[in-house]
Structures are given as structure tokens and as C-alpha cells.
Amino acid sequence: QVQLVESGGGSVQPGGSLRLSCAASGSIFSMDAMGWYRQAPEKERESVANITSSGATDYADSVKGRFTISRDNAKNTVYLQMNSLKPEDTAVYYCNVRARPTIYHWYSEVWGQGILVTVSS
């Protein structure tokens, strides 16, 4: 019903920047909170940043001051601007959205397929 497509990942040197995008498509009546998670090798998936429907944001302590989450409601898209990247930011990044497909459905969580970000010299 609701599909998420992530883009913008890749390899970058320490100190570099990347911008991730996550576009939602399909049957979308309403979008609630949107966010980014990441999972490094042999580690648990963790929340990186979230943004509510009204634009309030919160960040993991490890990325505060370096990452910025934003959304474009007209495009059903959420972004993650990542600056001053560090090797420890290397992970698969997942988009997560609470979406309501139709007026007859309540909100449910939808996950993207994940996109790899590698920070290495």
C-alpha cells in the first residue's frame, strides 16, 4: 500500500557529507512521524533522527549538530542531511514512516529497504 524508496547513500571520506532521501508512494491518505534509523555490522538498529508531522525534531546524541532531518509533505519525502561524517556513522540507514493508507485505515509503520552509507578514508 505504502512503499518507501531511499536514495543518496554511498561512500564518503571522513568529514564529508551525504544527503539521504526517502520518498513514499502508493496509497497515502496521511503521513505522521517520519524518521531514520541505522544498523551497523553486528549492532542493534538504532534511531538516528525523527520528525513529527508538525516539524518537531529529535536526534540521537551521537549525531546532534552534524545531522539534520527535514520533510517535504507535498512530496511525501523525508531527508537526512549528514555532515562531518565519521567512520562510526558507517551503517545501513533505514527510513521509517507512520502512514495511513486510506481514511478507512489507521496509521501503521512502514520501513524502507535500507541504504548503505560507508565512511572511510
Side-chain angles (χ1 to χ4, degrees), residues 103-119:
I103 194 171
Y104 304 106
H105 295 79
W106 194 236
Y107 289 98
S108 61
E109 286 200 1
V110 184
W111 288 91
Q113 79 283 359
I115 191 165
L116 179 63
V117 171
T118 303
V119 185

Side-chain angles (χ1 to χ4, degrees), residues 11-26:
S11 295
V12 65
Q13 292 186 339
S17 298
L18 284 173
R19 188 192 194 208
L20 303 183
S21 299
C22 173
S25 62

Side-chain angles (χ1 to χ4, degrees), residues 66-119:
R66 300 187 298 121
F67 290 11
T68 302
I69 189 170
S70 61
R71 63 191 286 168
D72 185 334
N73 292 326
K75 296 181 179 180
N76 291 326
T77 300
V78 61
Y79 306 96
L80 186 67
Q81 177 66 44
M82 304 185 293
N83 298 328
S84 302
L85 282 160
K86 304 175 181 180
E88 51 263 43
D89 294 318
T90 295
V92 176
Y93 284 70
Y94 296 90
C95 175
N96 174 273
V97 170
R98 274 175 51 83
R100 189 174 177 184
T102 74
I103 194 171
Y104 304 106
H105 295 79
W106 194 236
Y107 289 98
S108 61
E109 286 200 1
V110 184
W111 288 91
Q113 79 283 359
I115 191 165
L116 179 63
V117 171
T118 303
V119 185

